[in-house]
Amino acid sequence: MASLTLIFPSHTLLRKPSFNPSAPSPNLSSSFVPRDLPFSKTQSFKLPRMATKSYVVSASTAEMPRKRYPGEAKGFVEEMRFVAMKLHTREQAKEGEKEVKQPEERSVRQWEPTIDGYLKFLVDSRLVYDTLESIVDKATFPIYAEFKNTGLERLENLANDLKWFEEQGYAIPGPSSPGVTYAEYLKEISENDPQAFICHFYNTYFAHSAGGRMIGRKVAEKLLNNKVLEFYKWDGDLSQLLQNVRDKLNKVSEVSSVPLFVSLQNSLVNSRPPDSYLVFQSWTREEKNHCLEETEKSFKHSGDILRLILS
């Protein structure tokens, strides 16, 4: 059953509450009120304890604890990582279970990249990261705002790399079908399916920080005289940047992107006039599973773009 968190209109989401325990317990109105409260001014606290009755339940009727999903004990990010690793081939990762069917699914050591194909890959990647970062900046759903300025952003780095190629005399192509298709899909799901969007956000940034860097090194060896592009550089400690985003992803999975609204009586805080308050629910198991199921689509789109390197 989804848990409820009440959000005050004074601080940002996910901050710790500063609730005064001596204040009288609020009574929740059953009526909904309009959304007229900016999300950036919210703070959470626990709902008041409700009166309960004691019942004797036999062992045969008590609900049995459900079986945990792989990685669930460590947080939802670990669940996403487990599903993603299973979609690798054994040549790509020891946890991989997928059979090799496409050229880009072979070991990078077997790749034969081309400079024209690599430029197409970089251009389409720039479009995808531009789309992801624009969606996060716009924050149609408040949870997206948690991922602003994480240090993992790649758009500016890719723009600098393409400028360097241009200075070397290479013609920079326009975006191709794989990148355009993926960008449009990201825009679509970001507007009405936040769990799916979070899946693509996670897989895109984390895959690039791991396998993506290995690909970058191998391509640089074969095509760029070992030059390291800005695409594969981060300001600060990458492991810490990734951990910070893991923490945010785990927190986001514990709050819903669609708040409910309730009204609190005047007695809540110094007899102030009633305000609007946000109530957030944690992601249900069904919503988490929906996010995990999106992993395969994320791999398909990223694989289509990665394949451009070999074209």
Side-chain angles (χ1 to χ4, degrees):
M1 181 177 180
S3 60
L4 295 180
T5 302
L6 192 61
I7 308 296
F8 270 84
S10 57
H11 292 279
T12 57
L13 173 64
L14 303 177
R15 289 187 180 177
K16 295 181 179 179
S18 57
F19 177 60
N20 180 5
S22 63
S25 296
N27 294 319
L28 298 182
S29 167
S30 61
S31 61
F32 291 95
V33 296
R35 182 190 301 200
D36 55 359
L37 190 63
F39 180 83
S40 61
K41 297 181 179 180
T42 59
Q43 172 179 339
S44 65
F45 79 106
K46 295 181 179 178
L47 288 173
R49 184 186 301 275
M50 300 299 181
T52 60
K53 294 182 180 180
S54 298
Y55 298 91
V56 177
V57 181
S58 67
S60 60
T61 59
E63 182 180 353
M64 298 297 292
R66 67 173 178 82
K67 184 178 179 180
R68 283 185 176 273
Y69 284 71
E72 184 178 0
K74 295 183 179 180
F76 188 59
V77 170
E78 185 64 16
E79 290 189 57
M80 289 196 285
R81 190 197 72 81
F82 181 86
V83 173
M85 295 309 296
K86 294 297 182 184
L87 290 177
H88 286 77
T89 66
R90 289 299 299 271
E91 294 187 31
Q92 295 172 326
K94 62 181 181 180
E95 299 170 81
E97 295 182 351
K98 186 178 179 181
E99 294 182 5
V100 175
K101 294 182 179 180
Q102 300 293 340
E104 76 278 3
E105 294 173 341
R106 300 195 306 267
S107 170
V108 179
R109 294 188 295 272
Q110 303 176 36
W111 286 20
E112 293 297 333
T114 68
I115 194 68
D116 289 340
Y118 193 49
L119 283 172
K120 293 177 183 177
F121 164 76
L122 293 176
V123 168
D124 278 24
S125 295
R126 178 178 61 178
L127 176 59
V128 169
Y129 282 101
D130 186 13
T131 302
L132 285 167
E133 290 163 27
S134 296
I135 289 169
V136 167
D137 187 61
K138 181 182 176 183
T140 302
F141 289 94
I143 59 173
Y144 296 167
E146 288 297 311
F147 302 102
K148 291 182 180 180
N149 303 318
T150 62
L152 298 183
E153 292 80 12
R154 298 290 85 197
L155 177 59
E156 184 177 348
N157 297 62
L158 279 163
N160 290 335
D161 287 334
L162 290 169
K163 181 179 179 181
W164 178 83
F165 275 103
E166 193 172 21
E167 291 171 348
Q168 307 309 305
Y170 292 101
I172 307 302
S176 60
S177 178
V180 172
T181 299
Y182 195 18
E184 289 302 316
Y185 182 70
L186 289 170
K187 291 176 185 177
E188 177 186 341
I189 62 174
S190 72
E191 294 291 334
N192 52 37
D193 196 345
Q195 281 80 26
F197 176 76
I198 289 297
C199 176
H200 289 265
F201 178 92
Y202 163 77
N203 280 293
T204 300
Y205 283 99
F206 278 68
H208 177 64
S209 69
R213 284 194 297 165
M214 182 174 65
I215 291 170
R217 287 195 298 269
K218 292 300 179 181
V219 172
E221 288 176 8
K222 294 189 175 184
L223 299 178
L224 304 176
N225 194 26
N226 289 315
K227 174 180 172 58
V228 180
L229 297 180
E230 296 297 313
F231 191 25
Y232 306 99
K233 296 178 183 179
W234 289 262
D235 293 331
D237 181 4
L238 177 58
S239 62
Q240 186 58 56
L241 295 176
L242 291 169
Q243 185 57 51
N244 293 342
V245 176
R246 285 190 193 95
D247 292 342
K248 289 177 181 289
L249 286 164
N250 281 329
K251 289 179 181 179
V252 159
S253 68
E254 297 306 321
V255 293
S256 171
S257 55
V258 183
L260 303 175
F261 288 79
V262 297
S263 159
L264 297 185
Q265 293 183 343
N266 296 2
S267 61
L268 179 61
V269 181
N270 299 325
S271 298
R272 289 173 50 193
D275 288 319
S276 301
Y277 293 87
L278 306 177
V279 178
F280 287 84
Q281 292 179 294
S282 61
W283 284 14
T284 64
R285 186 64 253 178
E286 289 74 18
E287 288 173 324
K288 289 181 178 181
N289 287 348
H290 176 61
C291 178
L292 297 176
E293 289 163 359
E294 193 71 15
T295 307
E296 192 166 356
K297 291 182 181 179
S298 174
F299 269 57
K300 179 188 181 303
H301 285 292
S302 61
D304 290 343
I305 294 175
L306 197 59
R307 195 175 304 129
L308 293 171
I309 298 177
L310 306 178
S311 64

